[in-house]
Amino acid sequence: MKKVCLLVLALVLAGSFAFAEVDLSGMSYDELVALKDQINLAIWNSQEWQEVTVPVGVWKVGEDIPAGHWTLTVAPDGNPPFGSVVIGTALNETGKDIDIMSSDYYYSESLRLAGADDYPGLDEMNYDFKDGDYVIINYSDVIFTPYAGKPSLGFK
């Protein structure tokens, strides 16, 4: 009986916390930044969080890669420690590159493995992929991670 009472009490308390609203208006800037960091950590540790390693190749968004906002980084075992990502809406006649003239847009970015400062490029990039986009990954596999928002810049 004691266990049943504790279980009921735990469920009632959990339910009340689940529907509680948080008043942010009284929080200082530093408290809000700390809360944002805690929320980001909770998102990253959630069951829905996923990251997928996409190998070198030509991929179509909506078929191979889900549409959405993604953060891309070079896979840690990347050899070489750099890569590139090219995005557009039409492939050329070989099917291995973007047709710049027929594509609605064209985007290219160089990526490098974090810490590989001898190579040009970004440690990570964010992109909002649309159905029908073609994504070409060159040189090293790339990790796609759901975009978790802009980092705090620390302005007061």
Side-chain angles (χ1 to χ4, degrees):
M1 180 67 176
K2 195 178 205 181
K3 288 182 184 179
V4 172
C5 287
L6 286 173
L7 179 62
V8 169
L9 180 61
L11 290 174
V12 168
L13 287 175
S16 66
F17 288 120
F19 297 108
E21 289 187 16
V22 177
D23 181 16
L24 304 176
S25 63
M27 296 179 76
S28 71
Y29 173 80
D30 290 334
E31 291 170 327
L32 290 169
V33 170
L35 178 61
K36 180 182 178 288
D37 291 343
Q38 288 176 356
I39 290 170
N40 281 340
L41 184 60
I43 290 170
W44 295 332
N45 290 327
S46 72
Q47 295 295 339
E48 291 85 23
W49 183 262
Q50 63 173 348
E51 60 181 39
V52 176
T53 301
V54 179
V56 170
V58 178
W59 309 100
K60 188 167 186 181
V61 176
E63 292 178 12
D64 305 310
I65 299 170
H69 203 151
W70 295 94
T71 298
L72 282 63
T73 55
V74 173
D77 57 350
N79 189 12
F82 60 86
S84 74
V85 178
V86 182
I87 304 161
T89 58
L91 295 175
N92 66 10
E93 61 279 351
T94 68
K96 296 182 181 194
D97 205 357
I98 299 296
D99 184 339
I100 297 173
M101 300 305 289
S102 299
S103 189
D104 294 340
Y105 47 86
Y106 175 87
Y107 182 78
S108 177
E109 191 64 69
S110 295
L111 293 173
R112 66 180 180 202
L113 190 60
D117 297 334
D118 293 341
Y119 297 94
L122 303 174
D123 289 348
E124 69 176 33
M125 67 173 271
N126 298 301
Y127 197 86
D128 191 7
F129 293 93
K130 309 284 188 247
D131 281 333
D133 284 350
Y134 286 97
V135 181
I136 301 170
I137 298 173
N138 295 305
Y139 309 114
S140 281
D141 299 347
V142 171
I143 296 175
F144 279 61
T145 307
Y147 180 69
K150 292 181 180 180
S152 173
L153 298 177
F155 286 108
K156 291 186 178 191

